[in-house]
């Protein structure tokens, strides 16, 4: 049996007629950059996120960068985030001229450990970016409390957490802004590149709408120096169709995670993912921890099971961030996790039979 890491074809097959109709509408109206499909999607995605505003942009990376710029972060500022994330989180900080400052993660949730936050704050600190890694929110209450005490803004990196909840509140709706990616493999994926910023801050929303469109509110009248960060019309159409299915897809992911958890419960060599009491985890990634990860993964690959590593090298020891001056050993929890995590196949269309096969092979390989 072959079990792919992700199966975008299965999902497309189930919705192809609606997708075709949506794309045809864009062709017929020639609204290729922004336009009605994007505006409709923005309105529905804002509702979905329990936020007043959603601003569709060209990628999750753009969303993070624009949110930082829009909140006034720039050269000389420090922004605290997790070393255990996709590089885009920290790239966005560097690319607005600020400096990423990392703090270690909580060993159970793999999100920033709030008890380490206060000590990392300096007079230069302006913002915190908690990352809702794998689809589970960071512990937002203590993070918000500390940030408010120190006058810091909070930008949620919710690029893996569409529809996740923290104490009943949707990911992205808790901080000053929430950033989403619609990269094709994400829980809500476009058929190309796209992202969004959500916020309840009306002024910020206005600024970001101008910023992504060359700083103009009215064509060729530029109020601020902006950028081209628009979402394209085809992506708006695809995302509009797919958003309707997202709640059902999320439940299917959670069912698959539950089945993995149950079947792996008696395998003491595997640490299954932890769902915090405060969280509704949406399992963008189902990551287990095992000793001897590399050999373990190789064996699964040979048996037709595709896995991933999210992420093999923490950001503080990436070559690109060497100038920041961190060393191996700076963040022992993040480094330990990076050596042991394996992401198993996870998507809504994954069958019970496939999950069963993956677990059977895991147990065989660990014997
Ligand atoms: C995917 C992702 C991003 C970047 O999104 P793109 O749409 O690929 O630019 C940022 N942060 C995290 C945590 C991600 O998973």
């Amino acid at each position: 049996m072959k079990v792919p890491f992700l199966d975008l074809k299965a999902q497309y097959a189930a919705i192809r007629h609606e997708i075709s109709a949506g794309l045809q509408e864009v062709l017929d109206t020639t609204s290729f950059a922004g336009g009605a499909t994007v505006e409709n999607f923005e309105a529905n995605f804002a509702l979905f996120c329990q936020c007043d505003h959603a601003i569709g942009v060209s990628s999750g990376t753009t969303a993070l960068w624009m949110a930082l710029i829009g909140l006034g972060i720039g050269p000389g500022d420090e922004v605290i985030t997790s070393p255990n994330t996709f590089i885009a989180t920290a790239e966005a900080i560097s690319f607005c001229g600020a400096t990423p400052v990392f703090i270690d993660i909580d060993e159970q949730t793999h999100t920033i450990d709030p008890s380490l936050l206060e000590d990392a704050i300096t007079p230069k600190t302006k913002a915190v970016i908690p990352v809702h890694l794998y689809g589970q929110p960071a512990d937002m209450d203590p993070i918000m409390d500390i940030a408010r005490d120190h006058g810091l803004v909070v930008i949620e990196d919710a690029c893996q957490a569409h529809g996740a909840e923290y104490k009943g509140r949707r990911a992205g709706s808790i901080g000053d802004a929430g950033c989403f990616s619609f990269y094709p493999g994400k829980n809500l994926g476009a058929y190309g590149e796209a992202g969004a910023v959500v916020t309840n801050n009306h002024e910020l929303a206005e600024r970001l709408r101008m910023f992504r469109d060359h700083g103009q509110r009215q064509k060729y009248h530029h109020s601020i120096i902006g950028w081209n960060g628009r979402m394209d019309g085809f992506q708006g159409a695809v995302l509009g169709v797919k958003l309707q299915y997202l709640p059902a897809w999320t439940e299917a992911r959670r069912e698959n995670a539950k089945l993995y958890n149950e079947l792996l419960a008696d395998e003491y060599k595997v640490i299954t993912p932890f769902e915090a009491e405060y969280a509704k985890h949406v399992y963008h990634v189902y990551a287990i921890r095992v000793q001897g990860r590399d050999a373990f993964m190789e064996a699964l690959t040979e048996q037709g099971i595709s896995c991933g590593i999210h992420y093999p090298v923490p950001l503080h020891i990436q070559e690109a961030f060497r100038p920041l001056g961190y060393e191996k050993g700076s963040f022992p929890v993040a480094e330990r996790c990076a050596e042991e995590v394996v992401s198993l196949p996870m998507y809504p269309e994954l069958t019970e039979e496939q999950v069963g096969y993956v677990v059977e092979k895991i147990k065989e390989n660990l014997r």
Side-chain angles (χ1 to χ4, degrees):
M1 188 189 286
K2 276 218 181 323
V3 188
F5 183 64
L6 199 104
D7 191 353
L8 295 180
K9 280 185 189 153
Q11 191 182 76
Y12 172 58
I15 56 173
R16 60 181 299 157
H17 297 295
E18 277 176 276
I19 294 286
S20 295
L23 296 179
Q24 191 61 50
E25 187 191 321
V26 177
L27 290 168
D28 291 337
T29 57
T30 65
S31 296
F32 299 121
T37 58
V38 173
E39 284 166 26
N40 286 337
F41 170 68
E42 287 174 333
N44 289 324
F45 192 64
L47 276 177
F48 176 82
C49 293
Q50 302 170 345
C51 275
D52 293 339
H53 306 276
I55 298 99
V57 297
S58 54
S59 72
T61 309
T62 306
L64 287 160
W65 177 65
M66 278 183 40
L68 285 161
I69 300 251
L71 286 162
I73 313 302
D77 297 339
E78 291 177 356
V79 179
I80 299 171
T81 192
S82 170
N84 188 13
T85 176
F86 181 55
I87 193 158
T89 320
E91 275 174 336
I93 298 168
S94 295
F95 234 67
C96 69
T99 304
V101 172
F102 300 114
I103 59 174
D104 212 347
I105 56 170
D106 173 84
E107 185 139 12
Q108 287 188 301
T109 63
H110 299 226
T111 60
I112 52 169
D113 180 345
S115 72
L116 302 172
L117 182 52
E118 200 136 35
D119 279 350
I121 296 172
T122 75
K124 291 180 176 173
T125 309
K126 290 286 154 54
V128 186
I129 309 185
V131 180
H132 304 326
L133 199 76
Y134 302 156
Q136 167 152 263
D139 191 0
M140 290 303 290
D141 277 349
I143 294 170
M144 292 304 293
D145 285 348
I146 296 164
R148 292 301 178 239
D149 282 352
H150 293 267
L152 312 178
V153 299
V154 176
I155 298 169
E156 295 172 63
D157 183 338
C159 286
Q160 302 186 356
H162 318 69
E165 288 174 14
Y166 178 80
K167 300 185 181 175
R169 298 167 72 190
R170 282 274 155 99
S173 70
I174 300 160
D176 297 274
C179 297
F180 289 88
S181 164
F182 307 120
Y183 181 77
K186 297 290 161 82
N187 288 22
L188 178 60
Y191 288 169
E193 305 277 352
V197 181
V198 299
T199 183
N200 290 315
N201 179 335
H202 179 74
E203 240 175 84
L204 175 66
E206 278 299 287
R207 210 167 326 134
L208 293 181
R209 281 194 186 100
M210 282 202 284
F211 186 86
R212 69 157 174 205
D213 194 20
H214 300 290
Q216 63 190 356
R217 199 174 283 140
Q218 189 190 344
K219 205 168 172 75
Y220 303 133
H221 295 263
H222 308 275
S223 316
I224 57 172
I225 295 173
W227 197 252
N228 176 358
R230 293 177 300 245
M231 181 189 283
D232 81 62
F234 287 121
Q235 305 317 327
V238 168
L239 292 168
V241 169
K242 292 181 76 173
L243 181 59
Q244 306 170 68
Y245 293 94
L246 185 56
W249 289 337
T250 298
E251 287 320 307
R253 282 177 186 272
R254 288 176 56 78
E255 282 301 313
N256 288 331
K258 201 171 137 210
L259 186 57
Y260 270 130
N261 288 344
E262 284 167 7
L263 296 175
L264 286 167
D266 61 356
E267 177 53 73
Y268 72 98
K269 289 180 183 165
V270 168
I271 302 175
T272 52
F274 172 80
E275 184 176 32
E277 210 175 296
Y278 62 66
K280 179 178 174 183
H281 195 320
V282 296
Y283 296 100
H284 172 57
V285 166
Y286 182 92
I288 59 169
R289 283 174 64 184
V290 287
Q291 302 290 319
R293 186 260 321 273
D294 294 343
F296 171 83
M297 253 184 88
E298 211 170 293
L300 286 179
T301 307
E302 270 168 28
Q303 288 154 335
I305 299 164
S306 303
C307 300
I309 305 175
H310 300 88
Y311 293 91
V313 184
L315 297 191
H316 66 284
I317 43 179
Q318 290 281 356
E319 189 183 346
F321 285 123
R322 200 172 292 154
L324 295 177
Y326 291 101
E327 279 168 16
K328 204 163 183 290
S330 307
F331 304 113
V333 182
E335 290 168 29
R336 195 155 60 236
C337 290
E339 281 171 14
E340 297 177 6
V341 287
V342 186
S343 312
L344 301 183
M346 170 55 76
Y347 45 90
E349 299 78 9
L350 193 66
T351 64
E352 238 180 272
E353 210 186 347
Q354 287 174 310
V355 173
Y357 177 74
V358 173
V359 173
E360 185 191 309
K361 292 298 163 193
I362 286 175
K363 289 181 175 175
E364 259 177 47
N365 292 327
L366 292 174
R367 212 149 285 144

